[in-house]
Amino acid sequence: MINIAIDGPSGAGKGVVSDKLAKLLNLYHLDTGAIYRAIGLYCYDNGINGFSEEEVLKVLDKINIKIEFVNNVQYTYLNDECVNHRIRSSIASDYSSRSSALKCVRDKVRELQQDFAKNNNVVMEGRDITTEILPHTKYKFYLDASPEVRANRRLQDLLEKGENVTFEQVLNDINERDYRDTHREFGKLQLTKDAFYINTDNYNIDEVVAIIYSKINERV
Ligand code: DC
């Protein structure tokens, strides 16, 4: 199987880049953040404290996540409800960033991701894909961008969706989530020596895809 691992902070462009790369190479693109977002949404919907391992552990078996692909588009199901739209809200961002720090949540999601990679050619993007989920793949990338550039990208997305937010709010939110993503005990975001680092501040999507594509060819 061909497994390409891409990690990086939120808003670095992992999603769009992985999408284009996957199409170019005819692979699936698995957005693992969608799984954590769906779990976060369950916690929000059911009044579960997403910071509490004890509370989340009690309901973990009731959270059934399924991923389907139709025409290469990922559909994420939370207990049979397609949550593709709902997981993009600021609430889902916040709750996913809380519950994704919990060991019980990461253990559950790890299994799903590794099963998928075992059976499919995939570009998988997230936070711990290069380090914990696909540690043995030779195709590892870390996409980065400055917090300001990422906040601007996120702001445009949210405004298009009709959310009423300011640049400062989005930047604060990004800084807070970066801190949580890089300081938690389990599955934290980190750049390792064997991952190829790309700062996307001054590149467009196609340029980033071209860089990754050429690195993959070098490593074949
Ligand atoms: O990539 P994203 O913004 O959709 O991710 C949502 C949250 O899930 C984010 O706070 C980090 C977390 N996450 C994670 O811990 N591990 C992953 N592999 C993917 C996402």
Side-chain angles (χ1 to χ4, degrees):
M1 288 296 160
I2 299 170
N3 290 165
I4 298 171
I6 303 184
D7 283 328
S10 105
K14 299 185 305 288
V16 268
V17 165
S18 300
D19 222 39
K20 283 212 162 186
L21 188 68
K23 285 198 179 102
L24 190 67
L25 298 171
N26 198 23
L27 317 174
Y28 285 108
H29 161 210
L30 185 69
D31 163 14
T32 63
I35 305 169
Y36 289 100
R37 283 170 178 270
I39 295 174
L41 207 54
Y42 180 94
C43 293
Y44 173 71
D45 286 348
N46 293 279
I48 309 290
N49 175 1
F51 286 119
S52 161
E53 182 108 37
E54 197 188 341
E55 276 198 38
V56 176
L57 195 54
K58 271 190 207 148
V59 295
L60 207 57
D61 282 347
K62 293 188 193 154
I63 309 177
N64 185 23
I65 306 289
K66 233 178 39 208
I67 301 290
E68 266 179 28
F69 285 89
V70 180
N71 297 328
N72 285 323
V73 176
Q74 177 175 330
Y75 291 86
T76 304
Y77 289 87
L78 167 61
N79 294 336
D80 296 328
E81 175 200 349
C82 176
V83 288
N84 273 28
H85 292 294
R86 289 182 66 219
I87 56 174
R88 295 298 150 205
S89 65
S90 303
I91 284 288
S93 297
D94 183 34
Y95 269 73
S96 60
S97 143
R98 299 175 188 201
S99 55
S100 62
L102 304 178
K103 183 173 185 299
C104 64
V105 170
R106 302 209 74 83
D107 287 347
K108 181 179 177 106
V109 179
R110 177 186 302 116
E111 203 178 309
L112 206 154
Q113 296 167 114
Q114 289 182 333
D115 276 355
F116 192 89
K118 213 180 286 168
N119 298 309
N120 297 283
N121 295 319
V122 63
V123 179
M124 198 181 287
E125 42 110 357
R127 303 294 188 285
D128 61 343
I129 312 302
T130 58
T131 53
E132 302 209 357
I133 305 302
L134 303 174
H136 303 301
T137 182
K138 52 184 172 175
Y139 307 118
K140 296 187 182 185
F141 299 90
Y142 187 104
L143 292 198
D144 204 0
S146 70
E148 289 74 18
V149 166
R150 291 187 283 125
N152 241 325
R153 291 175 185 161
R154 187 67 88 199
L155 180 67
Q156 299 316 318
D157 283 354
L158 292 171
L159 291 179
E160 273 167 32
K161 277 182 210 128
E163 287 207 26
N164 189 14
V165 283
T166 63
F167 176 78
E168 285 68 32
Q169 284 169 332
V170 179
L171 183 61
N172 277 343
D173 177 58
I174 288 222
N175 284 330
E176 198 175 304
R177 285 202 286 140
D178 279 0
Y179 186 85
R180 283 189 210 153
D181 280 356
T182 52
H183 286 78
R184 61 185 176 219
E185 194 179 350
F186 307 104
K188 69 177 172 210
L189 173 65
Q190 54 188 320
L191 172 63
T192 54
K193 280 199 192 109
D194 57 351
F196 186 78
Y197 178 89
I198 306 168
N199 184 312
T200 68
D201 274 2
N202 298 312
Y203 291 126
N204 66 33
I205 295 158
D206 288 333
E207 287 168 330
V208 178
V209 172
I211 293 169
I212 297 180
Y213 184 75
S214 77
K215 282 288 155 195
I216 290 171
N217 283 328
E218 270 175 29
R219 292 183 184 193
V220 168

